[in-house]
Structures are given as C-alpha cells and as structure tokens.
Amino acid sequence: MNPYLCLNFALFLFALAGCGNSDHHALKKTKAIQGRNDPIYSQNVKRFPVYQAIVPSPWFCIEPSETQTNAETTLPLCEWIIGEGADKISIVVHNFPSDDWHERIPPQAQLARWKRQLEGLKEGDYQIKPEAYGGFSGFSFEAQGNLKGQPVIVLGWAMQIGPDYYRILKRPAPSQTSAINKQKRADYTIKAVGPPESMWQHRTEIITFANSFGLIEELPEE
C-alpha cells in the first residue's frame, strides 16, 4: 500500500478514536457543594459546604447567590449545564433534610416520580440498579422517553444514608454542628436530562460525576 495512504488512514483512525473518547480527556476539578440554609440562620442565609464531586471543567455551574434562600427542597442545591441550545444537558442536585428517619421519602418514590414525568414510558424503556457508596445507598435510574414532546434520556440517582449514620448524625450538638449534621444526613438526588445524542456522548462522565458525589467530611463512627 502507498505509504502516504497508510499514514492518512492511521491519522483518520486516531482522530476517530479521539472523538469517541473526548470525555475521558476533559480536565476535571473537585467542586465543593453547599447544603441548604437552615432556619436558625435565616436572617443571613447562612449555608455550609457539605458535599463534593469531581466535575469536568467545561461544565457550567449555577448556584444560588449568597443572599438567596434555598431552604425550600423544590429548589436545587446547584445545576450543571453541558452544551447549549438543542444539545443542552441539565444536571440537577437536590437534598432533602429531615428531622426524623420516618419523615424521609423512599428512593423508590423518587424513581416512580421520574418515570411518571416521561410520556408513554414502557417497561423496557428504563433500567434501575442498586447503588451503594460513601455511606449512602439507593438506586440509579436510566430511561429513554419523551419529556414535553421531546425525546430525552434521563440518568438519575436517588440515595439515602444508612440508619446507623443517620442516628449518629442526629445526636445532640451545638446549633451550628447540628445544622450541618442535618444536611449531612439528608437524602439526595442527582438527575441528568438531555437529548439522546448528547447524553450518549457524555454518559460516562455523568456517571463518573455521580459516583464521585459524597460528603466532604468522613462519616463519624460510634
């Protein structure tokens, strides 16, 4: 074979491989994520860093301002945006602080809500897997369907802390420590939504982000 043709074919394969694995070469950074402001500090909207995750640098983060309350759990802790326009992916993080174990919403209820949001979702259109890391356990959810008439893929995680850790983090403590512990023992969800092509392109890095998500401080022992 002509050496020139060999070289061009090799360069073509190299470029093709690079396009297919662009996610793996993106620069990453560890990002601290604040919890919700507690009613104890409602006058100055005081929040504390609670979680951290490894985030690709190109992702754009939207967080509430220092003067904006996020005490209402329908509001996200933060949102990451990948891409723009018709290709945009939204990754939203929520947590759900509680004062008692029995107040919590089971992860299965979060999954059921996500399924209801997708129009005409059938049994074979989604997959649910058990997950456990960092003292939390729950489920991951992956589905392809229509949202408001548009085709999307959803990747979600619904996680709860273990009962022993919940009990330890509920012990009496000074007001600031108690407020932080309430955030640390909260359930959390991560949900990524976007058009199928974009979601397939970024699927690996989204999963890596979700698996890296956890508390900044190590969980206490007995």
PDB file of all heavy atoms in Angstrom, residues 156-174:
ATOM      1  N   GLY A 156     -30.483   9.167  36.582  1.00  0.00           N
ATOM      2  CA  GLY A 156     -30.776   9.669  37.913  1.00  0.00           C
ATOM      3  C   GLY A 156     -30.237   8.770  39.011  1.00  0.00           C
ATOM      4  O   GLY A 156     -30.046   7.568  38.810  1.00  0.00           O
ATOM      5  N   TRP A 157     -29.996   9.370  40.172  1.00  0.00           N
ATOM      6  CA  TRP A 157     -29.573   8.644  41.368  1.00  0.00           C
ATOM      7  C   TRP A 157     -30.402   9.154  42.542  1.00  0.00           C
ATOM      8  O   TRP A 157     -30.498  10.371  42.767  1.00  0.00           O
ATOM      9  CB  TRP A 157     -28.087   8.892  41.651  1.00  0.00           C
ATOM     10  CG  TRP A 157     -27.179   8.232  40.679  1.00  0.00           C
ATOM     11  CD1 TRP A 157     -26.504   7.052  40.841  1.00  0.00           C
ATOM     12  CD2 TRP A 157     -26.826   8.708  39.361  1.00  0.00           C
ATOM     13  NE1 TRP A 157     -25.770   6.760  39.720  1.00  0.00           N
ATOM     14  CE2 TRP A 157     -25.945   7.748  38.790  1.00  0.00           C
ATOM     15  CE3 TRP A 157     -27.167   9.832  38.614  1.00  0.00           C
ATOM     16  CZ2 TRP A 157     -25.417   7.902  37.521  1.00  0.00           C
ATOM     17  CZ3 TRP A 157     -26.651   9.970  37.343  1.00  0.00           C
ATOM     18  CH2 TRP A 157     -25.784   9.014  36.803  1.00  0.00           C
ATOM     19  N   ALA A 158     -30.992   8.235  43.296  1.00  0.00           N
ATOM     20  CA  ALA A 158     -31.756   8.558  44.498  1.00  0.00           C
ATOM     21  C   ALA A 158     -31.108   7.814  45.656  1.00  0.00           C
ATOM     22  O   ALA A 158     -31.135   6.579  45.702  1.00  0.00           O
ATOM     23  CB  ALA A 158     -33.220   8.154  44.339  1.00  0.00           C
ATOM     24  N   MET A 159     -30.520   8.559  46.613  1.00  0.00           N
ATOM     25  CA  MET A 159     -29.663   7.961  47.625  1.00  0.00           C
ATOM     26  C   MET A 159     -30.075   8.388  49.036  1.00  0.00           C
ATOM     27  O   MET A 159     -30.483   9.529  49.266  1.00  0.00           O
ATOM     28  CB  MET A 159     -28.209   8.376  47.384  1.00  0.00           C
ATOM     29  CG  MET A 159     -27.691   8.099  45.971  1.00  0.00           C
ATOM     30  SD  MET A 159     -27.579   6.329  45.570  1.00  0.00           S
ATOM     31  CE  MET A 159     -26.148   5.865  46.540  1.00  0.00           C
ATOM     32  N   GLN A 160     -29.940   7.434  49.994  1.00  0.00           N
ATOM     33  CA  GLN A 160     -30.207   7.687  51.405  1.00  0.00           C
ATOM     34  C   GLN A 160     -29.033   7.194  52.245  1.00  0.00           C
ATOM     35  O   GLN A 160     -28.405   6.186  51.914  1.00  0.00           O
ATOM     36  CB  GLN A 160     -31.472   6.960  51.866  1.00  0.00           C
ATOM     37  CG  GLN A 160     -32.766   7.571  51.405  1.00  0.00           C
ATOM     38  CD  GLN A 160     -33.967   6.947  52.085  1.00  0.00           C
ATOM     39  OE1 GLN A 160     -33.933   5.796  52.500  1.00  0.00           O
ATOM     40  NE2 GLN A 160     -35.045   7.700  52.208  1.00  0.00           N
ATOM     41  N   ILE A 161     -28.773   7.903  53.351  1.00  0.00           N
ATOM     42  CA  ILE A 161     -27.709   7.488  54.253  1.00  0.00           C
ATOM     43  C   ILE A 161     -28.196   6.295  55.085  1.00  0.00           C
ATOM     44  O   ILE A 161     -29.404   6.124  55.304  1.00  0.00           O
ATOM     45  CB  ILE A 161     -27.297   8.661  55.167  1.00  0.00           C
ATOM     46  CG1 ILE A 161     -25.890   8.447  55.728  1.00  0.00           C
ATOM     47  CG2 ILE A 161     -28.316   8.904  56.277  1.00  0.00           C
ATOM     48  CD1 ILE A 161     -25.286   9.685  56.343  1.00  0.00           C
ATOM     49  N   GLY A 162     -27.265   5.455  55.518  1.00  0.00           N
ATOM     50  CA  GLY A 162     -27.604   4.279  56.314  1.00  0.00           C
ATOM     51  C   GLY A 162     -28.182   4.661  57.675  1.00  0.00           C
ATOM     52  O   GLY A 162     -27.875   5.726  58.221  1.00  0.00           O
ATOM     53  N   PRO A 163     -29.024   3.808  58.242  1.00  0.00           N
ATOM     54  CA  PRO A 163     -29.704   4.141  59.510  1.00  0.00           C
ATOM     55  C   PRO A 163     -28.752   4.402  60.670  1.00  0.00           C
ATOM     56  O   PRO A 163     -29.019   5.264  61.512  1.00  0.00           O
ATOM     57  CB  PRO A 163     -30.590   2.918  59.770  1.00  0.00           C
ATOM     58  CG  PRO A 163     -30.038   1.824  58.910  1.00  0.00           C
ATOM     59  CD  PRO A 163     -29.442   2.503  57.715  1.00  0.00           C
ATOM     60  N   ASP A 164     -27.637   3.669  60.747  1.00  0.00           N
ATOM     61  CA  ASP A 164     -26.688   3.900  61.848  1.00  0.00           C
ATOM     62  C   ASP A 164     -26.062   5.290  61.746  1.00  0.00           C
ATOM     63  O   ASP A 164     -25.918   5.999  62.758  1.00  0.00           O
ATOM     64  CB  ASP A 164     -25.592   2.834  61.840  1.00  0.00           C
ATOM     65  CG  ASP A 164     -26.121   1.465  62.255  1.00  0.00           C
ATOM     66  OD1 ASP A 164     -27.194   1.422  62.887  1.00  0.00           O
ATOM     67  OD2 ASP A 164     -25.474   0.451  61.940  1.00  0.00           O
ATOM     68  N   TYR A 165     -25.666   5.685  60.530  1.00  0.00           N
ATOM     69  CA  TYR A 165     -25.093   7.017  60.345  1.00  0.00           C
ATOM     70  C   TYR A 165     -26.134   8.097  60.607  1.00  0.00           C
ATOM     71  O   TYR A 165     -25.821   9.143  61.185  1.00  0.00           O
ATOM     72  CB  TYR A 165     -24.523   7.165  58.935  1.00  0.00           C
ATOM     73  CG  TYR A 165     -23.267   6.359  58.693  1.00  0.00           C
ATOM     74  CD1 TYR A 165     -23.185   5.455  57.636  1.00  0.00           C
ATOM     75  CD2 TYR A 165     -22.151   6.520  59.518  1.00  0.00           C
ATOM     76  CE1 TYR A 165     -22.032   4.723  57.413  1.00  0.00           C
ATOM     77  CE2 TYR A 165     -20.990   5.781  59.298  1.00  0.00           C
ATOM     78  CZ  TYR A 165     -20.937   4.891  58.242  1.00  0.00           C
ATOM     79  OH  TYR A 165     -19.793   4.169  58.018  1.00  0.00           O
ATOM     80  N   TYR A 166     -27.364   7.860  60.195  1.00  0.00           N
ATOM     81  CA  TYR A 166     -28.424   8.839  60.449  1.00  0.00           C
ATOM     82  C   TYR A 166     -28.562   9.071  61.954  1.00  0.00           C
ATOM     83  O   TYR A 166     -28.662  10.207  62.418  1.00  0.00           O
ATOM     84  CB  TYR A 166     -29.752   8.354  59.851  1.00  0.00           C
ATOM     85  CG  TYR A 166     -30.846   9.396  59.856  1.00  0.00           C
ATOM     86  CD1 TYR A 166     -31.105  10.155  58.722  1.00  0.00           C
ATOM     87  CD2 TYR A 166     -31.619   9.628  60.993  1.00  0.00           C
ATOM     88  CE1 TYR A 166     -32.098  11.131  58.721  1.00  0.00           C
ATOM     89  CE2 TYR A 166     -32.615  10.596  61.004  1.00  0.00           C
ATOM     90  CZ  TYR A 166     -32.853  11.345  59.861  1.00  0.00           C
ATOM     91  OH  TYR A 166     -33.835  12.304  59.867  1.00  0.00           O
ATOM     92  N   ARG A 167     -28.565   7.973  62.690  1.00  0.00           N
ATOM     93  CA  ARG A 167     -28.730   8.062  64.149  1.00  0.00           C
ATOM     94  C   ARG A 167     -27.563   8.825  64.785  1.00  0.00           C
ATOM     95  O   ARG A 167     -27.763   9.674  65.664  1.00  0.00           O
ATOM     96  CB  ARG A 167     -28.840   6.660  64.736  1.00  0.00           C
ATOM     97  CG  ARG A 167     -28.960   6.609  66.253  1.00  0.00           C
ATOM     98  CD  ARG A 167     -29.234   5.189  66.728  1.00  0.00           C
ATOM     99  NE  ARG A 167     -28.311   4.232  66.137  1.00  0.00           N
ATOM    100  CZ  ARG A 167     -27.070   4.029  66.580  1.00  0.00           C
ATOM    101  NH1 ARG A 167     -26.615   4.728  67.615  1.00  0.00           N
ATOM    102  NH2 ARG A 167     -26.290   3.141  65.999  1.00  0.00           N
ATOM    103  N   ILE A 168     -26.330   8.538  64.333  1.00  0.00           N
ATOM    104  CA  ILE A 168     -25.161   9.218  64.888  1.00  0.00           C
ATOM    105  C   ILE A 168     -25.220  10.719  64.593  1.00  0.00           C
ATOM    106  O   ILE A 168     -24.934  11.555  65.457  1.00  0.00           O
ATOM    107  CB  ILE A 168     -23.865   8.604  64.321  1.00  0.00           C
ATOM    108  CG1 ILE A 168     -23.696   7.168  64.813  1.00  0.00           C
ATOM    109  CG2 ILE A 168     -22.652   9.452  64.701  1.00  0.00           C
ATOM    110  CD1 ILE A 168     -22.588   6.407  64.119  1.00  0.00           C
ATOM    111  N   LEU A 169     -25.626  11.079  63.378  1.00  0.00           N
ATOM    112  CA  LEU A 169     -25.671  12.483  62.976  1.00  0.00           C
ATOM    113  C   LEU A 169     -26.860  13.233  63.573  1.00  0.00           C
ATOM    114  O   LEU A 169     -26.978  14.446  63.383  1.00  0.00           O
ATOM    115  CB  LEU A 169     -25.701  12.585  61.449  1.00  0.00           C
ATOM    116  CG  LEU A 169     -24.406  12.178  60.745  1.00  0.00           C
ATOM    117  CD1 LEU A 169     -24.615  12.080  59.249  1.00  0.00           C
ATOM    118  CD2 LEU A 169     -23.286  13.176  61.051  1.00  0.00           C
ATOM    119  N   LYS A 170     -27.719  12.528  64.289  1.00  0.00           N
ATOM    120  CA  LYS A 170     -28.862  13.160  64.929  1.00  0.00           C
ATOM    121  C   LYS A 170     -28.623  13.386  66.438  1.00  0.00           C
ATOM    122  O   LYS A 170     -29.493  13.921  67.134  1.00  0.00           O
ATOM    123  CB  LYS A 170     -30.122  12.316  64.716  1.00  0.00           C
ATOM    124  CG  LYS A 170     -31.426  13.077  64.890  1.00  0.00           C
ATOM    125  CD  LYS A 170     -32.609  12.231  64.498  1.00  0.00           C
ATOM    126  CE  LYS A 170     -33.912  13.010  64.708  1.00  0.00           C
ATOM    127  NZ  LYS A 170     -34.088  13.452  66.103  1.00  0.00           N
ATOM    128  N   ARG A 171     -27.467  13.014  66.913  1.00  0.00           N
ATOM    129  CA  ARG A 171     -27.161  13.218  68.325  1.00  0.00           C
ATOM    130  C   ARG A 171     -27.148  14.702  68.668  1.00  0.00           C
ATOM    131  O   ARG A 171     -26.826  15.545  67.819  1.00  0.00           O
ATOM    132  CB  ARG A 171     -25.801  12.607  68.660  1.00  0.00           C
ATOM    133  CG  ARG A 171     -25.784  11.086  68.649  1.00  0.00           C
ATOM    134  CD  ARG A 171     -24.383  10.577  68.814  1.00  0.00           C
ATOM    135  NE  ARG A 171     -24.323   9.121  68.911  1.00  0.00           N
ATOM    136  CZ  ARG A 171     -23.213   8.411  68.833  1.00  0.00           C
ATOM    137  NH1 ARG A 171     -22.037   9.030  68.670  1.00  0.00           N
ATOM    138  NH2 ARG A 171     -23.247   7.096  68.927  1.00  0.00           N
ATOM    139  N   PRO A 172     -27.488  15.072  69.909  1.00  0.00           N
ATOM    140  CA  PRO A 172     -27.443  16.486  70.316  1.00  0.00           C
ATOM    141  C   PRO A 172     -26.061  17.077  70.084  1.00  0.00           C
ATOM    142  O   PRO A 172     -25.036  16.425  70.325  1.00  0.00           O
ATOM    143  CB  PRO A 172     -27.787  16.426  71.805  1.00  0.00           C
ATOM    144  CG  PRO A 172     -28.569  15.160  71.964  1.00  0.00           C
ATOM    145  CD  PRO A 172     -27.978  14.184  70.988  1.00  0.00           C
ATOM    146  N   ALA A 173     -26.044  18.324  69.590  1.00  0.00           N
ATOM    147  CA  ALA A 173     -24.783  19.007  69.283  1.00  0.00           C
ATOM    148  C   ALA A 173     -25.037  20.510  69.300  1.00  0.00           C
ATOM    149  O   ALA A 173     -26.188  20.956  69.264  1.00  0.00           O
ATOM    150  CB  ALA A 173     -24.272  18.561  67.912  1.00  0.00           C
ATOM    151  N   PRO A 174     -23.973  21.329  69.381  1.00  0.00           N
ATOM    152  CA  PRO A 174     -24.154  22.786  69.277  1.00  0.00           C
ATOM    153  C   PRO A 174     -24.909  23.149  67.999  1.00  0.00           C
ATOM    154  O   PRO A 174     -24.896  22.388  67.022  1.00  0.00           O
ATOM    155  CB  PRO A 174     -22.715  23.311  69.249  1.00  0.00           C
ATOM    156  CG  PRO A 174     -21.914  22.247  69.925  1.00  0.00           C
ATOM    157  CD  PRO A 174     -22.571  20.951  69.587  1.00  0.00           C
TER     158      PRO A 174
END
